[in-house]
């Protein structure tokens, strides 16, 4: 309570001082009064503008109507821009037709892994006062919206790259398969429904839960299935809200043009943003063992009124965010095969 009163007192003193400066300036010059009033409005309004923009950014990062909307948000796991991922202890044994009592009691030793959220910074964008006079629209707001949209896309693309397996490791439920269809005329082998059934069988054999398998098809593989399967064609052209099919060989299907690429020879995932051209993939993850979370969201801005030399508005954003897999359900990548 004392702290609140102290803060209010400081604000009251600030506003009183500001009023005195304005009145004092008015006694000498109307121009000076105008300058002080505008500057004070900027000082008061900027934090409010930042808060509103940051709230809008959080809304944008919900990734609605995309594959990322399948992932549960785990904001309660976040602290200081890190995420604490719980790891369950050993499951209990099941006794069938038991006749031995008392039944054995065991502790379940849980643990957790702490992972830092990824930091995403936009480069700053400037908008000059001269531009604003010449434009028929409010460019500062449009620039801000562009930053939000760009960060939404980037957090999704990086998240999808992280969910894809680095390489085949079936002992840990990480599968990498190559397509086996006909040559599309460029040396790339098309994706077939048989390839999907092969992956489905591997996941079934590994005991991976059938509920929650999400398949994100790359553009080439969408085209392949449209050509091969009339049922897929019908579902594709009737799909709404980003999802193509909620049930297709055991997968809920989305499409995305930013799926990761794999090394042409080693079939290992290329580094994010690599200039090397690899083979495109479609990616499978399990919604039940995947989490997403956002940490601190910050808008960095300088108003043109506080930049007397260049008269420029400057805007940039920083977002802490993560999409991460945990548990034992695993992941998969279907890579375009190569003709012999």
């Amino acid at each position: 309570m004392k702290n609140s009163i102290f803060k209010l007192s400081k604000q009251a003193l600030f506003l009183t001082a500001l009023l005195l400066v304005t009145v004092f300036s008015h006694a000498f010059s109307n121009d000076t009064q105008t300058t002080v009033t505008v500057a004070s409005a900027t000082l008061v309004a900027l934090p409010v503008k930042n808060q509103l923009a940051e709230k809008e950014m959080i809304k944008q990062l919900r990734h609605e109507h995309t594959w990322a909307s399948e992932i549960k948000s785990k904001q309660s796991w976040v602290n200081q821009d890190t995420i604490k991922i719980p790891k369950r202890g050993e499951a209990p044994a099941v006794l069938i037709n038991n006749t031995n009592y008392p039944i054995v009691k065991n502790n379940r030793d849980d643990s957790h892994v702490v992972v830092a959220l990824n930091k995403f910074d936009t480069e700053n964008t400037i908008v000059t006062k001269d531009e604003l006079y010449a434009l028929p629209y409010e460019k500062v707001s449009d620039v801000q919206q562009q930053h939000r949209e760009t960060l939404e896309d980037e957090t999704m693309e990086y998240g999808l790259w992280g969910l894809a397996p680095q390489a085949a490791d079936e002992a840990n439920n990480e599968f990498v398969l190559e397509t086996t269809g006909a040559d599309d005329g460029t040396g790339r082998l098309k994706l077939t429904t048989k390839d999907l059934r092969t992956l489905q069988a591997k996941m079934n054999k590994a005991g991976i839960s059938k509920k929650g398998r999400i398949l994100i098809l790359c553009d080439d593989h969408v085209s392949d299935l449209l050509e091969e399967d009339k049922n897929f064609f019908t579902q594709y052209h009737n799909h709404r809200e980003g999802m193509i099919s909620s049930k297709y060989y055991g997968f809920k299907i989305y499409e995305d043009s930013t799926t990761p690429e794999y090394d042409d020879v080693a079939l290992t995932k290329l580094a994010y943003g690599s200039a090397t051209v690899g083979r495109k993939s479609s990616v499978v993850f399990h919604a039940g063992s995947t989490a997403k979370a956002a940490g601190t969201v910050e808008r960095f801005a300088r108003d043109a009124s506080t930049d007397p030399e260049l008269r420029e508005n400057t805007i940039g954003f920083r977002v802490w965010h993560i999409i991460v897999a945990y548990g034992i359900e695993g992941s998969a990548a279907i890579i375009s095969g190569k003709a012999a």
Side-chain angles (χ1 to χ4, degrees), residues 26 48 65 67 87 101 103 148 175 185 240 254 262 297:
H26 179 64
V48 176
H65 311 312
W67 57 263
K87 295 185 69 177
Y101 295 94
I103 292 177
R148 290 198 297 264
F175 308 94
R240 297 177 182 176
Y254 290 81
Y262 281 73
V297 176

Side-chain angles (χ1 to χ4, degrees), residues 282-299:
S282 293
V283 175
V284 176
F285 70 88
H286 199 281
S289 60
T290 309
K292 66 180 178 183
T296 305
V297 176
E298 295 176 285
R299 174 183 183 259

Side-chain angles (χ1 to χ4, degrees), residues 21 53 100 251 323:
V21 170
N100 296 320
F251 301 101
I323 295 176

Side-chain angles (χ1 to χ4, degrees), residues 281-333:
S281 69
S282 293
V283 175
V284 176
F285 70 88
H286 199 281
S289 60
T290 309
K292 66 180 178 183
T296 305
V297 176
E298 295 176 285
R299 174 183 183 259
F300 298 92
R302 181 173 59 240
D303 193 86
S305 63
T306 64
D307 183 8
E309 290 80 19
L310 299 175
R311 275 79 163 172
E312 293 177 342
N313 297 283
T314 306
I315 301 167
F317 281 88
R318 170 176 291 172
V319 169
W320 294 82
H321 188 270
I322 197 167
I323 295 176
V324 62
Y326 65 95
I328 61 171
E329 300 297 353
S331 61

Side-chain angles (χ1 to χ4, degrees), residues 56-114:
E56 286 300 313
M57 177 65 75
I58 292 171
K59 290 180 182 178
Q60 195 85 1
L61 293 175
R62 290 174 184 167
H63 304 113
E64 295 178 353
H65 311 312
T66 69
W67 57 263
S69 64
E70 297 287 345
I71 303 172
K72 290 183 179 180
S73 177
K74 299 293 186 181
Q75 290 300 127
S76 61
W77 294 1
V78 176
N79 182 37
Q80 298 294 321
D81 294 324
T82 63
I83 185 169
K84 182 183 285 189
I85 302 172
K87 295 185 69 177
R88 284 180 177 176
E90 187 176 351
V94 177
L95 307 177
I96 301 174
N97 298 326
N98 178 67
T99 57
N100 296 320
Y101 295 94
I103 292 177
V104 174
K105 295 184 291 184
N106 296 300
N107 290 324
R108 194 184 84 170
D109 295 323
D110 293 351
S111 60
H112 63 266
V113 176
V114 178

Side-chain angles (χ1 to χ4, degrees), residues 63 66-68 151-160 256 323:
H63 304 113
T66 69
W67 57 263
L151 281 167
E152 180 185 33
D153 292 343
E154 197 72 23
T155 51
M156 275 188 60
E157 184 176 348
Y158 190 77
L160 184 54
D256 196 306
I323 295 176

